[in-house]
Amino acid sequence: MKIRLSILSLLFAVSGTLLTHSVDAAETTAAPRDTSQLHIASGSALLLDLQTNKVIYSSNPDVVVPIASVTKLMTAMVVLDAKLPMNEYISVNISDTPEMKGVFSRVKLNSELSRREMLLIALMSSENRAAASLAHHYPGGYAAFIAAMNAKAKSLGMTHTRYVEPTGLSIHNVSTARDLSKLLVAARKYPLLSELSTTKEKTVAFRKPNYTLGFRNTDHLVNKEKWDIKITKTGFTNQAGHCLVLVTSMSNRPVALVILDAFGKYTHFADAGRIRNWMETGKSGSVPDVALRYKAEKNLKNRQAGATQASH
């Protein structure tokens, strides 16, 4: 009898150990690391596992904020949805976009460039005149383009997103980190978005008049070998702060990352690195005091609490 009880006890012990391990494994899939070890400077962020569609990490993900030139990812998507000829030359026209008034650009008004290369410089180098021109040359005109942007957002379940123009210069182009993760999921279905947004640099030739301009990617992570960037877009205005969205791999899994309202020219890139380090090692490293002060002053945490209450 004692032997039988001992064997049963042993079986229970082993099965209990196996059960504990399986629970741990399940937790690891949802949250592979201790979030208290992740320190970021951005006001809002979200990391999504693209294999499971589960959120790995989020910080103030439902606060509605201006999104600056991250807007251009939706601009490009709407252009591609219209299935317009990519080799058609279109003129540089910003007359429909009052936000463009007084904004410097090297691109000459009324000169012409192919729609594909307009898309390229809008995505890769965040060229505002290219984004405005793409909207101007849309079937039904500019107003129809803006309507299509908002209709697309609605169809993707981006319930807290609103667009009023195609560049991101307006503070009224707003979204949330959670909504933008949905945009990134949709963007993966457009191979051209991946190709154009991750191009490192390109010289393009305009006509009428003839001239060439060189453009570089605003996301310098595309130049780093350790980053496998599939889709990316940056953004900046004073009101939006520095923003970054991308599809990449972290810890051998495909992820979508959204970083909004970061302080300083490099904080959004540094936060991407901190999040990646946390995924791979369990620790993120420290955040500069000046960036933390900016985050505290913006105080998105209180607005997140309000957003959470409003959703219930």
Side-chain angles (χ1 to χ4, degrees):
M1 187 68 174
K2 284 183 180 178
I3 294 170
R4 189 175 297 168
L5 281 171
S6 299
I7 292 170
L8 282 171
S9 302
L10 184 62
L11 284 171
F12 278 126
V14 171
S15 62
T17 304
L18 290 172
L19 186 62
T20 304
H21 277 252
S22 65
V23 169
D24 287 346
E27 288 171 354
T28 302
T29 303
R33 300 292 182 183
D34 178 2
T35 54
S36 70
Q37 296 299 310
L38 175 51
H39 310 290
I40 63 170
S42 307
S44 180
L46 188 142
L47 183 67
L48 182 71
D49 186 325
L50 290 169
Q51 285 180 330
T52 63
N53 207 36
K54 288 183 178 178
V55 174
I56 299 170
Y57 170 81
S58 67
S59 171
N60 307 324
D62 300 307
V63 178
V64 178
V65 291
I67 58 170
S69 286
V70 172
T71 294
K72 294 184 178 82
L73 201 53
M74 178 63 87
T75 297
M77 205 177 286
V78 168
V79 171
L80 293 177
D81 280 349
K83 300 200 176 343
L84 303 168
M86 287 292 110
N87 59 356
E88 179 185 3
Y89 273 74
I90 59 176
S91 61
V92 177
N93 191 318
I94 63 171
S95 60
D96 298 307
T97 313
E99 292 83 2
M100 291 292 301
K101 189 175 181 181
V103 176
F104 172 76
S105 173
R106 298 177 298 150
V107 174
K108 297 176 183 179
L109 291 175
N110 302 316
S111 59
E112 296 181 349
L113 189 66
S114 72
R115 184 174 277 107
R116 179 192 172 94
E117 300 222 300
M118 284 280 197
L119 271 173
L120 170 69
I121 63 176
L123 286 169
M124 174 184 76
S125 200
S126 218
E127 174 49 57
N128 290 311
R129 288 188 173 181
S133 301
L134 288 164
H136 180 83
H137 294 280
Y138 183 78
Y142 187 85
F145 188 87
I146 305 306
M149 291 177 77
N150 286 297
K152 183 72 171 180
K154 186 177 180 182
S155 74
L156 296 176
M158 298 169 68
T159 53
H160 296 95
T161 300
R162 179 171 178 249
Y163 299 101
V164 300
E165 52 84 32
T167 69
L169 288 169
S170 172
I171 61 169
H172 301 297
N173 280 14
V174 295
S175 188
T176 66
R178 196 180 305 278
D179 274 9
L180 290 173
S181 72
K182 296 174 182 178
L183 182 65
L184 288 171
V185 169
R188 297 176 80 208
K189 298 172 184 173
Y190 297 75
L192 195 57
L193 284 184
S194 178
E195 179 188 336
L196 299 183
S197 73
T198 60
T199 299
K200 294 177 182 178
E201 58 184 339
K202 180 80 185 289
T203 297
V204 300
F206 295 81
R207 67 183 197 186
K208 298 182 182 180
N210 294 336
Y211 64 102
T212 59
L213 289 174
F215 293 89
R216 289 178 178 272
N217 203 307
T218 55
D219 181 357
H220 70 241
L221 296 180
V222 301
N223 297 310
K224 298 186 179 295
E225 283 185 16
K226 68 175 185 177
W227 283 91
D228 180 23
I229 309 291
K230 301 297 187 187
I231 294 169
T232 184
K233 188 72 199 77
T234 62
F236 171 75
T237 62
N238 288 331
Q239 295 87 354
H242 290 270
C243 305
L244 173 67
V245 300
L246 51 85
V247 172
T248 186
S249 293
M250 292 184 186
S251 199
N252 296 317
R253 69 176 79 186
V255 295
L257 176 63
V258 180
I259 292 172
L260 301 175
D261 197 10
F263 168 84
K265 277 178 75 172
Y266 302 107
T267 307
H268 47 325
F269 300 125
D271 268 356
R274 281 186 273 267
I275 290 169
R276 178 179 166 151
N277 286 342
W278 171 76
M279 281 285 288
E280 293 176 353
T281 70
K283 293 186 178 179
S284 65
S286 59
V287 176
D289 288 343
V290 65
L292 289 176
R293 282 199 298 273
Y294 171 89
K295 183 177 181 179
E297 285 166 11
K298 281 298 191 85
N299 199 14
L300 292 193
K301 194 170 184 179
N302 276 356
R303 287 170 60 188
Q304 170 69 20
T308 304
Q309 285 172 2
S311 66
H312 288 312

